[in-house]
Amino acid sequence: MDETWIPEDDDRGESPNQKLDRNWMELLQELRVLQTGVQILAGFLLTLPFQAKFETLDSFQVGLYLFNVMVAALTTALILLPVSVHRRLFRKRLKSVLVASADFMAKSALCGVAVLIVGTALLVFDVVAGRGAALIAGGAIVLVLLVLLLAVPLWLSYRSRRPPGSGL
């Protein structure tokens, strides 16, 4: 028997409201993790203009830097959006709308974080090792992120729907 298989019905005995509350709390925890990562990358980006080498950046590097700052700002806004929506929907008995929209916002924020990771790595590699190395590193990071953020969750979802003992 495959011990990694988990049935769809987990028999928690939750009411629909309890399930929505649990899902909301799980989403908030995920957003906290995302927020920390974005804050670290954004903080790094905000220190760059105050470095002596910043004056030597070419127009591509400056454009990439400004793009990364915008992505960091927009991703931060996406991470904060569920809180704003919660404040607007609070006590209006719209928890299902809140959870569904926050799920979409969290997925969008993950995309923003992925773009920010690639953009920041591109900038660092371009400044330190040159444009060619930056493009290679950026492409490699895109591939790794596609596997980690898309392929692995899709594979796990597919695998969880298979009955026990059916192999990979």
Side-chain angles (χ1 to χ4, degrees), residues 55-84:
E55 299 291 326
T56 66
L57 297 183
D58 64 28
S59 62
F60 173 80
Q61 293 165 335
V62 170
L64 184 55
Y65 168 77
L66 293 173
F67 172 79
N68 286 336
V69 170
M70 289 302 297
V71 170
L74 294 173
T75 301
T76 300
L78 275 172
I79 291 168
L80 296 175
L81 186 56
V83 176
S84 175

Side-chain angles (χ1 to χ4, degrees), residues 40-160:
I40 290 168
L41 286 172
F44 162 74
L45 288 170
L46 294 176
T47 65
L48 290 182
F50 303 103
Q51 306 300 314
K53 191 166 183 168
F54 192 80
E55 299 291 326
T56 66
L57 297 183
D58 64 28
S59 62
F60 173 80
Q61 293 165 335
V62 170
L64 184 55
Y65 168 77
L66 293 173
F67 172 79
N68 286 336
V69 170
M70 289 302 297
V71 170
L74 294 173
T75 301
T76 300
L78 275 172
I79 291 168
L80 296 175
L81 186 56
V83 176
S84 175
V85 171
H86 180 261
R87 288 290 90 210
R88 289 281 161 215
L89 300 182
F90 187 65
R91 293 187 178 157
K92 293 187 179 182
R93 299 182 186 269
L94 295 171
K95 182 75 66 117
S96 61
V97 172
L98 174 65
V99 171
S101 63
D103 174 65
F104 175 77
M105 294 168 209
K107 289 175 183 172
S108 299
L110 274 171
C111 291
V113 170
V115 170
L116 185 56
I117 289 169
V118 172
T120 302
L122 269 173
L123 180 60
V124 171
F125 271 84
D126 197 59
V127 170
V128 173
R131 186 88 16 104
L135 294 174
I136 291 168
I141 293 169
V142 166
L143 291 176
V144 168
L145 289 174
L146 285 173
V147 168
L148 295 177
L149 299 179
L150 289 177
V152 169
L154 287 172
W155 179 73
L156 291 171
S157 176
Y158 165 77
R159 191 166 174 217
S160 70

